[in-house]
Amino acid sequence: MARFLQKKEGTIGQVPGDLVFIGEQKVAEATIRVIDYDQEQLSDQHLQDIKEGLIYKDRSTVTWININGLHDTKLIRELGTGFGLHALVLEDIVNTGQRPRMEEYDEYLFFALKMMRYDEETGKVRSEQLSMVLGKTFLLTFQEQPGDVFEPVRERIRKQRGRIRKVGIDYLAYALLDTIVDNYLFIIERLGERIEEIEDKILDNPSQEVLASINNYKREMNYLRKTIRPAREFILHLSRLDSDLLQEKTLPFLKDLLDLSNQAVDVIDSYRDMLSDHLNIYNTQISNRLNEIMKVLTIFSAIFIPLTFIAGIYGTNFENVPELHFRYSYFIMWGVMIVVAGFMLRFFRRKCWL
Amino acid sequence: MARFLQKKEGTIGQVPGDLVFIGEQKVAEATIRVIDYDQEQLSDQHLQDIKEGLIYKDRSTVTWININGLHDTKLIRELGTGFGLHALVLEDIVNTGQRPRMEEYDEYLFFALKMMRYDEETGKVRSEQLSMVLGKTFLLTFQEQPGDVFEPVRERIRKQRGRIRKVGIDYLAYALLDTIVDNYLFIIERLGERIEEIEDKILDNPSQEVLASINNYKREMNYLRKTIRPAREFILHLSRLDSDLLQEKTLPFLKDLLDLSNQAVDVIDSYRDMLSDHLNIYNTQISNRLNEIMKVLTIFSAIFIPLTFIAGIYGTNFENVPELHFRYSYFIMWGVMIVVAGFMLRFFRRKCWL
Amino acid sequence: MARFLQKKEGTIGQVPGDLVFIGEQKVAEATIRVIDYDQEQLSDQHLQDIKEGLIYKDRSTVTWININGLHDTKLIRELGTGFGLHALVLEDIVNTGQRPRMEEYDEYLFFALKMMRYDEETGKVRSEQLSMVLGKTFLLTFQEQPGDVFEPVRERIRKQRGRIRKVGIDYLAYALLDTIVDNYLFIIERLGERIEEIEDKILDNPSQEVLASINNYKREMNYLRKTIRPAREFILHLSRLDSDLLQEKTLPFLKDLLDLSNQAVDVIDSYRDMLSDHLNIYNTQISNRLNEIMKVLTIFSAIFIPLTFIAGIYGTNFENVPELHFRYSYFIMWGVMIVVAGFMLRFFRRKCWL
Amino acid sequence: MARFLQKKEGTIGQVPGDLVFIGEQKVAEATIRVIDYDQEQLSDQHLQDIKEGLIYKDRSTVTWININGLHDTKLIRELGTGFGLHALVLEDIVNTGQRPRMEEYDEYLFFALKMMRYDEETGKVRSEQLSMVLGKTFLLTFQEQPGDVFEPVRERIRKQRGRIRKVGIDYLAYALLDTIVDNYLFIIERLGERIEEIEDKILDNPSQEVLASINNYKREMNYLRKTIRPAREFILHLSRLDSDLLQEKTLPFLKDLLDLSNQAVDVIDSYRDMLSDHLNIYNTQISNRLNEIMKVLTIFSAIFIPLTFIAGIYGTNFENVPELHFRYSYFIMWGVMIVVAGFMLRFFRRKCWL
Amino acid sequence: MARFLQKKEGTIGQVPGDLVFIGEQKVAEATIRVIDYDQEQLSDQHLQDIKEGLIYKDRSTVTWININGLHDTKLIRELGTGFGLHALVLEDIVNTGQRPRMEEYDEYLFFALKMMRYDEETGKVRSEQLSMVLGKTFLLTFQEQPGDVFEPVRERIRKQRGRIRKVGIDYLAYALLDTIVDNYLFIIERLGERIEEIEDKILDNPSQEVLASINNYKREMNYLRKTIRPAREFILHLSRLDSDLLQEKTLPFLKDLLDLSNQAVDVIDSYRDMLSDHLNIYNTQISNRLNEIMKVLTIFSAIFIPLTFIAGIYGTNFENVPELHFRYSYFIMWGVMIVVAGFMLRFFRRKCWL
């Protein structure tokens, strides 16, 4: 399966708005968790049946319903009908190959984006689709599997830290988006550290492993870029949105979030440039190495080939080779050889090859 | 014939609006198929004569007339006159070298775009021009040959699946466009899988075949990009169009379609970047290989050339070579040779060539 | 003379609006041809004196005056004065180094663009400046030399083919622009065919000729791009122009023209990308070849150098070399050599060099 | 720690607006300095307690409060509360990994940017975060450590040079920004000198050191670009801002500042291009060197290998080698060898290898 | 001193608007020249004291005051005060490191741009700052040294050629700008000719000199681009400016000027592309050469190494080598050698190496 694009086969011409789960099923059974709170009270429960969740729709409290597991299209549909979601929104929720984006509907906003995880062992970034529906008093989130980056936000809700219990549902949505983008930056930074470390290795020892890791980071940076850039776009759009669903006082936070995502995109581009530079330097080092090897070979060959030739001459078995009979010819031969070798060495020194 | 641009020779200065078929005739005889439906009824027939089709023009039912085969300019002209199409539209329909685009007329919208097919054997993407004319109650589609990606849509019409029978002609046009863009994504994904697979091969075994396939995918991605980018542009335009021909409730679907085409263009760009990286890494691997070969050659030469020289010295036939007469000189020579070779090996080990 | 920029020496600080011919004189004497028509009648004549042409200025018929040869600045000035052209327009007409563009004046529109010709022999694209002045009832065209791509348009006028005789002067201007842009596409297509053909040659036989032709096509594509992009820009501007000189019903034709020029620019960019890819692949092929050559050299050297060394050892003339006197030493030597060679061959096979 | 992105670990999901110092603590204790002046009087003092500083908030004099050391979040919070700053602003002040930017609040403007220092020894550019809050009558600046580029501005305030004592707080903010951007240009210029010097070295002696310094300057230029581009963006925004906090007569100065930052970005891009060219030329030089080495090797090998072969032939011990017994064969052999060598030399001269 | 950025050291934190000359003093003493004219009369004089020049400020005639030499800040200040210039304008005039730009003030427009000179010997483009202040009836120009490109304009004023004496001060400013941009094009053309000539040399003989000149032209083109692009920007701005200082009838001339500068930027980009292509082709040629050298080496080695080995075998002194005693073994050896060599040659021919 191509990682940069989810498999679409079999879905061509599918009825738009039809609920067909596209992706890899990562959890056996979908689970539903509802956190409902206002300034005074808080309830946090796991539901067996989504019908119990529908009562929260028109309550004035802040309600966050989180679904883990997207393959249960029946559940998604029930929820969608209950909360009045458009068929296209439901289709997008169960299609994990969505491009990060926002859709504006009258009664709610829909976001699709990616949560990311850096797998230290394979050196690959894994992503999981997260869909959010932000209504007047409810926030629905849809994940592919349990385990997310939202625990600190839940902690803040439970412990009443910060303003989160005092302000509305839009702030909760912001807090989740903020956590996700923070996590992007964290992943970029972990990759970035490794990328910056490579630099010294390239000049010292341009091994095959260094090449493989440059290649790996290039691919991962491309992947991050492809995922984060559209997210940045919709956050920009969100921060300028004039909607009843967003309170005035949440705007500074959205601008802060926009800045964070701008930074993410900037840094990714910096690292991409840096990796291209690394590859260029690596190539140059390989050429330098080749030159060094060739110098050694050339020096050896060029010095000994003429000497061996001279020895060869006097190894011939001609009857009449006058030099063979002179008393000191052997020593003269050695002398000539030393002179020739010395001349060669000087020539190479002049060429800066030694 | 250049694949990236259709042959224009012989058409320079041609009367604009003149019907001259440009392209390769892919079907012996043009065929006409009319699907006409509303919520209650459905008729699906092949016409012998286009005149029978003209009666549908002002009917309130949804009428989809599909023509296979564009070389029959007489038929196209008759149809054009019957449905009141501009001469330029007709010219564009029969010129298969059109750039994907939309033209807005008072009574109808005209789209030209490409249907694509990936030929697994040659590894090439083939494209066929599809023109669409969307009127108030009719949709005309023009293909070069039978065989299209619309079968699932026909199925949905026949089986009354989804909303297609309940809503208007603009939704049908959307459904066809959606099918085509879905197909683009499907083709990109198939190419993408192969492109992602190449990566490991490059590091393991940078063979000539790998190079040829990098080159092939680069060309195909360029071709896809050239075809899909203008399609994306006109879908953007369409999704913002304020026209009587589009109903309010179709807009979310068009936005969805826009997003799909944005994703297509994004992914193509990602794959193009990836292929450039692949080629760079391939080149670097080739250089690495050369270095390895040179190391072997250098080590062999540098060790044996001096040894051979020493042997050569004592192969000379000088009368007076004192060493020849010492009892153990032969063994001393071996000793010297082993020392020299050992010294060379240490030198190469220090250079990290071993 | 630099082909990408016309020589400006001697013209620095020249009075703006002064008529100084800049370029190469390509024709001995300037000629004047007037085609004047309406729906009923047509006259087509060569004038000796431009004064005869001035009578057409205020006639309601469509008048097309074509000048071949720009060095006759006196003639140009007379014409300019007669038709009320701005001094800057006249200066631009006689300066063949103009960048393609449009200028809007109250009474007329001025276009400067290039007609191109592909010289099969030298493989170079030659261009000639074409200036057009579109007034209410007249169209003036200025060429550097006889021989243009307008013959089909004249044919259409003569034979009353299409709408050309029934509509106004703006349609004639459109028809000429259309012919020129069609010709651009034709030239691009001819280059494109050759560029697409190169691809196979690179992988099969990356010869010096292939390199020279990649280089040649790169230069020509740069040249085409530099010439056609500004033309596209002014056609875009023209298609959006709100001017009395353009009739409402000509607009669809201008949009069609715009699309054609968009296509030209798109395809040029595709071919430029393709040529860059070609050069990269070529380089990689050269490296592959070098590797292959080095493998052969390395294998020969590495096999025979040790063998020759062994033979050298037993060619020494030491008095005491015990092996020389064993009965089968010669055959043992052969055996050892075969074993060594076999070992080397296995080593190279394991390295995938054989 | 990745230099291009500050470490974010442990802060994911942190309460937005919470004061957590992110960065490296560079100073033991935070210090507070207040400069308060109008046209007549001036006071410059170090405060022990930030509470003393709060009295300046509503004074009509110009008050500049500078904090060195950001780890003392208690102090920052007190100051923030006293001057009515938004929680997000305080968070940004203590997070040294901020992207340069401006935030507009009703009562004040907030700027975050970087002060830079070029470390001659390591060849690296170091940056320190500077935050500014510009209110109606006060300017707060926050630095990571003592030592800044503002001394000349303080001098101008003390000595009443220029207009600084006569105009408002916005001019002071401008003066500080101007000093910072001037410093950017100074650092770019110092790097630029070195970059321009490299050029000659590349053609003369493309050593490993040259490569390392090209790589170093590339990285530093990337770093400068990443830092200065967002600063330029917010200065552009500032110069177009319609705010009560900026007086009309300060605008020309802001435009001047914008131009300075445009210049900085332009020059960085020029140097980046230059470094890429340098690397290309370096690579080409390495290839040229390799060619030269190979020529020497080839010439030696190609001349002596055939000669050694000839000598080898007559070193064989066959009983019947007729040439061995001719009187002048030894001299004829020499003659043949000289002829062969001469032929080889002529061949190489014709190839331009000598 | 870095050529791409003027030295800023010592000026950090300088009072904005303070007059400090930045640059290299190129002339001993500043000189003042006043040309004052209307349609009837003309005066052209050199002033000793700038005070004499101030009387022209409010005269209705066209007054052009030119200053050569910028180090005399006292003179500049006096002039500035007399003509009511903003302190920042004066600072910009004496800072020769200005980026080309325009500033709009109520009473005048300020332009900073560069005059260029191509030094044939060093192959470098030299630039000199030119500042212009365009008021209602006066034009002030500031140059670093005597010698400019304005002589033809002065000639036109003296000889009353063209419209220059009949129209206002804005036309004079246009005429000077036009002369400067014309000069840019002239310099680009001279460089361009040389760049186009390089092409053939690369394919014929890719010498070190060719590489050095590619490098040189790349640097100069970068320099030109950095200088001309901002000039183009402000000319664009000027041509759209709605200011009392510009008459309606000057606008066509400004548009013409804009087009000239667009052309300059276009052509620079074309030449930059061309130089990059040249460098690529050069590199490929170097690789081709290496391949050719390697082929020769490989062929010689591969043919003679086995032959020498065979000769070596029969040079051994084993007592029992049966072949040595056969009558024709020597000749058989020759036969075997010829066969081996022939086989090798066929192998190389099949590889296309011969």
Side-chain angles (χ1 to χ4, degrees), chain A residues 149 152-153 156 161-163 171 174 178-179 182-183 185-186 188-189 192-193 196 199 203 252-253 255-256 259-260 262-263 266-267 270-271 273-274 277 280-281 284-285 287-288 290-291 294-295 297-298 301-302 305-306 308-309 312-323 344 347-348 351 353, chain D residues 1-9 11-16 18 86-88 91-92 97-99 101 103 105 206 208 211-212 215 218-219 222 225-226 230 272 279 282-283 286 289-290 292-294 296-297 300-301 304-305 307-308 311 314-317 323-327 329-331 333-334 337:
Chain A
V149 294
V153 177
R156 276 151 61 193
R161 286 175 51 212
R163 71 188 66 199
Y171 185 87
Y174 152 73
D178 188 55
T179 308
D182 252 11
N183 190 47
L185 280 166
F186 176 58
I188 297 169
E189 208 243 346
E193 270 177 60
E196 294 187 28
E199 196 177 310
L203 287 173
F253 293 95
K255 279 196 182 150
D256 206 71
D259 202 77
L260 224 54
N262 277 334
Q263 192 173 16
D266 277 16
V267 176
S270 289
Y271 281 126
D273 283 1
M274 200 184 280
D277 289 348
N280 282 336
I281 298 287
T284 306
Q285 278 300 81
S287 300
N288 269 331
L290 182 58
N291 268 9
M294 291 314 301
K295 275 185 208 167
L297 177 56
T298 305
S301 301
I305 284 177
T308 304
F309 164 70
I313 287 290
Y314 296 107
T316 54
N317 297 319
F318 290 109
E319 271 176 13
N320 179 14
V321 184
E323 298 96 314
M344 295 309 305
F347 174 76
F348 293 131
K351 288 258 181 197
W353 295 0
Chain D
M1 201 169 68
R3 189 160 65 114
F4 278 63
L5 184 66
Q6 296 288 328
K7 206 169 192 81
K8 311 286 298 180
E9 192 173 8
T11 65
I12 298 176
Q14 175 206 340
V15 183
D18 221 25
H86 195 282
L88 277 177
E91 189 192 354
D92 290 349
Q98 286 300 307
R99 188 174 178 253
R101 75 180 201 276
E103 293 295 336
Y105 288 88
Q208 191 78 357
L211 179 63
N215 192 27
K218 279 204 131 187
R219 193 193 52 233
N222 279 345
R225 183 158 169 266
K226 187 187 141 290
R272 276 165 46 98
L279 191 57
Y282 182 95
N283 275 323
I286 293 296
R289 293 245 153 169
L290 182 58
E292 207 191 346
I293 294 175
M294 290 314 302
V296 168
L297 177 56
F300 265 94
S301 301
F304 284 105
I305 283 177
L307 304 190
T308 304
Y314 297 107
T316 54
N317 299 320
E323 298 96 315
L324 293 180
H325 310 297
F326 302 151
R327 198 185 168 106
S329 2
Y330 175 64
F331 305 101
M333 181 184 77
W334 267 114
M337 284 174 170

Side-chain angles (χ1 to χ4, degrees), chain D residues 231-247:
Chain D
R232 192 253 312 252
E233 277 166 43
F234 91 67
I235 290 169
L236 172 63
H237 187 183
L238 185 66
S239 73
R240 291 174 177 178
L241 198 66
D242 181 26
S243 162
D244 289 348
L245 296 161
L246 300 177
Q247 303 177 60

Side-chain angles (χ1 to χ4, degrees), chain C residues 301-342:
Chain C
S301 301
I303 289 176
F304 284 105
I305 283 178
L307 304 190
T308 304
F309 164 70
I310 293 171
I313 287 290
Y314 296 106
T316 54
N317 298 321
F318 291 108
E319 270 177 11
N320 180 15
V321 184
E323 298 95 315
L324 293 180
H325 310 296
F326 301 151
R327 198 184 169 108
Y328 299 110
S329 353
Y330 174 62
F331 305 101
I332 291 168
M333 182 184 76
W334 268 113
V336 168
M337 283 173 170
I338 287 164
V339 166
V340 166

Side-chain angles (χ1 to χ4, degrees), chain A residues 3-4 7 13 16 97 99 101 208 218-219 283 286 290 292 294 304 314 316 324-325 327 330, chain B residues 156 193 196 199 256 259 263 266 277 284-285 288 291 294 298 305 316-317 319-320 323 344 351:
Chain A
R3 189 159 66 114
F4 279 61
K7 206 168 192 84
R99 188 175 178 251
R101 74 180 202 277
Q208 190 78 356
K218 278 203 132 187
R219 192 193 53 233
N283 275 323
I286 293 296
L290 182 58
E292 208 191 345
M294 291 314 301
F304 285 105
Y314 296 107
T316 54
L324 292 180
H325 310 296
R327 199 185 167 107
Y330 174 64
Chain B
R156 275 152 62 192
E193 269 177 61
E196 294 188 28
E199 196 178 310
D256 206 70
D259 202 77
Q263 191 171 15
D266 277 15
D277 289 348
T284 306
Q285 278 300 80
N288 269 331
N291 268 11
M294 291 314 301
T298 305
I305 283 178
T316 53
N317 298 320
E319 271 176 13
N320 179 15
E323 298 95 315
M344 296 308 306
K351 290 258 181 197

Side-chain angles (χ1 to χ4, degrees), chain C residues 27 29-31 67-72 75-76 143-146:
Chain C
V27 65
E29 205 171 335
T31 58
I67 311 287
N68 278 323
L70 303 179
H71 60 281
D72 188 347
L75 177 134
I76 307 282
Q143 307 179 33
E144 293 184 48
Q145 59 186 329

Side-chain angles (χ1 to χ4, degrees), chain A residues 86 88 104-106, chain B residues 136 163 167-168 170-171 174 238-256:
Chain A
H86 195 282
L88 278 177
E104 211 184 331
Y105 288 88
D106 287 344
Chain B
K136 262 275 177 235
R163 71 188 67 202
V167 289
D170 55 341
Y171 186 86
Y174 152 73
L238 185 66
S239 73
R240 292 174 177 176
L241 197 67
D242 182 25
S243 163
D244 289 349
L245 295 161
L246 300 177
Q247 303 177 59
E248 183 72 22
K249 66 187 175 194
T250 309
L251 286 186
F253 292 95
L254 292 176
K255 279 198 181 148
D256 206 70

Side-chain angles (χ1 to χ4, degrees), chain A residues 110-274:
Chain A
F110 170 69
F111 311 104
L113 71 171
K114 302 284 176 195
M115 285 195 296
M116 281 192 281
R117 202 161 40 82
Y118 176 55
D119 186 334
E120 200 86 41
E121 250 174 86
T122 63
K124 288 202 175 177
V125 174
R126 295 288 165 203
S127 77
E128 177 191 349
Q129 170 145 308
L130 178 83
S131 311
M132 290 171 68
V133 175
L134 170 64
K136 261 276 175 233
T137 61
F138 60 88
L139 178 72
L140 313 179
T141 54
F142 302 85
Q143 307 178 34
E144 293 184 48
Q145 60 185 330
D148 54 33
V149 294
F150 297 150
E151 213 40 50
V153 177
R154 290 196 193 94
E155 189 74 11
R156 276 151 61 193
I157 294 173
R158 271 197 295 275
K159 305 237 169 121
Q160 308 211 24
R161 286 175 51 212
R163 71 188 66 199
I164 200 159
R165 288 281 290 275
K166 299 173 205 128
V167 289
I169 190 76
D170 57 340
Y171 185 87
L172 176 60
Y174 152 73
L176 297 184
L177 290 175
D178 188 55
T179 308
I180 289 169
V181 175
D182 252 11
N183 190 47
Y184 291 168
L185 280 166
F186 176 58
I187 288 173
I188 297 169
E189 208 243 346
R190 283 174 77 185
L191 285 167
E193 270 177 60
R194 275 154 193 74
I195 292 169
E196 294 187 28
E197 281 164 17
I198 289 176
E199 196 177 310
D200 295 330
K201 286 191 202 151
I202 292 171
L203 287 173
D204 287 359
N205 179 20
S207 68
Q208 190 78 356
E209 284 73 38
V210 171
L211 179 63
S213 68
I214 290 174
N215 191 27
N216 179 57
Y217 292 127
K218 278 203 132 187
R219 192 193 53 233
E220 295 312 302
M221 278 295 159
N222 279 346
Y223 184 66
L224 282 171
R225 183 157 169 268
K226 187 188 142 289
T227 311
I228 295 176
R229 268 164 59 128
R232 193 254 311 254
E233 276 166 43
F234 90 67
I235 290 169
L236 172 64
H237 188 183
L238 185 65
S239 74
R240 291 174 176 175
L241 197 66
D242 182 25
S243 163
D244 289 349
L245 295 161
L246 300 177
Q247 305 177 59
E248 183 74 21
K249 67 186 174 193
T250 310
L251 285 187
F253 293 95
L254 291 176
K255 279 196 182 150
D256 206 71
L257 179 61
L258 174 61
D259 202 77
L260 224 54
S261 43
N262 277 334
Q263 192 173 16
V265 173
D266 277 16
V267 176
I268 288 174
D269 285 344
S270 289
Y271 281 126
R272 277 164 46 98
D273 283 1
M274 200 184 280

